[in-house]
Each structure stands twice: as C-alpha cells, then as structure tokens.
Amino acid sequence: MKSDKPSEVVTQKEIQRLALTHVQAYVGACHCQIRSDVLLALEHW
C-alpha cells in the first residue's frame, strides 16, 4: 500500500543541526559548568 504523503528525506546538514541541538540541550539540562562536567555528562549518555 502506497502512502499519499511522500517520505521526508533528512539531509546531512539537517542531521548535524539536529544532533548539535540535542547534545546542547542535554548538556544544558545537566547544568554543566566546566569542560570535565560536559565530558562526564557525554560519557553517561
């Protein structure tokens, strides 16, 4: 069965932007203050 709505293609640039947005939100939610906090948060992700 074919859908009436065409599938959306995400470009490489959009993928990178989305990834950066989510990483920044995650790090922000972890209340990172210094570089080592960021690295620890990403290690646990």
Side-chain angles (χ1 to χ4, degrees), residues 1-44:
M1 188 167 140
K2 192 171 185 176
S3 173
D4 292 334
K5 181 180 174 186
S7 62
E8 294 183 29
V9 177
V10 181
T11 67
Q12 184 69 29
K13 189 172 186 175
E14 290 170 321
I15 291 169
Q16 290 173 343
R17 182 185 57 76
L18 288 168
L20 180 59
T21 299
H22 288 286
V23 168
Q24 288 173 332
Y26 175 76
V27 170
C30 291
H31 305 290
C32 297
Q33 298 295 316
I34 58 175
R35 184 175 186 261
S36 61
D37 292 344
V38 173
L39 295 175
L40 184 61
L42 292 176
E43 181 179 309
H44 288 282

